[in-house]
């Protein structure tokens, strides 16, 4: 699944774009490179197809992060 983050580099309020196969809730988790989860957000009532959600990165240290998106306990995307 194609996951895009913008702007890049991330600023205080940034966005993640991803595609869901069906409507419903999705969880966006952000991990640092050591594997520590630094953010988790549940987005409700997303439409099937392309979705763009906002997340606050104001407290993130500069660096590289991994984003994992799940729906119904199944990974639907990562980047």
């Amino acid at each position: 699944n194609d996951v895009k983050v913008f702007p890049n580099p991330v600023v205080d309020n940034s966005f993640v774009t991803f595609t869901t196969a069906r409507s419903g809730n999705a969880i966006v988790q952000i991990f640092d490179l050591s594997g520590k989860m630094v953010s988790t957000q549940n987005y409700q009532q997303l439409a099937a197809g392309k979705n763009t959600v906002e997340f606050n990165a104001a407290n993130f240290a500069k660096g590289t992060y991994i984003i994992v998106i799940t729906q119904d306990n199944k990974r639907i995307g990562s980047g």
Side-chain angles (χ1 to χ4, degrees), residues 10-54:
V10 169
V11 294
D12 291 351
N13 289 312
S14 295
F15 301 88
V16 178
T17 299
F18 56 92
T19 302
T20 58
R22 60 176 200 78
S23 62
N25 301 342
I27 298 171
V28 176
Q29 297 172 307
I30 302 173
F31 298 87
D32 65 17
L33 290 182
S34 73
K36 177 184 173 189
M37 186 183 342
V38 296
S39 177
T40 184
Q41 181 68 46
N42 186 6
Y43 295 93
Q44 298 183 5
Q45 300 178 3
L46 297 175
K50 185 175 180 179
N51 287 276
T52 300
V53 297
E54 184 176 10

Side-chain angles (χ1 to χ4, degrees), residues 45-76:
Q45 300 178 3
L46 297 175
K50 185 175 180 179
N51 287 276
T52 300
V53 297
E54 184 176 10
F55 69 94
N56 186 323
N59 296 323
F60 289 16
K62 288 184 179 182
T64 302
Y65 294 89
I66 299 168
I67 296 175
V68 175
I69 303 162
T70 57
Q71 189 176 40
D72 296 327
N73 296 319
K74 294 180 183 174
R75 183 181 292 200
I76 61 169

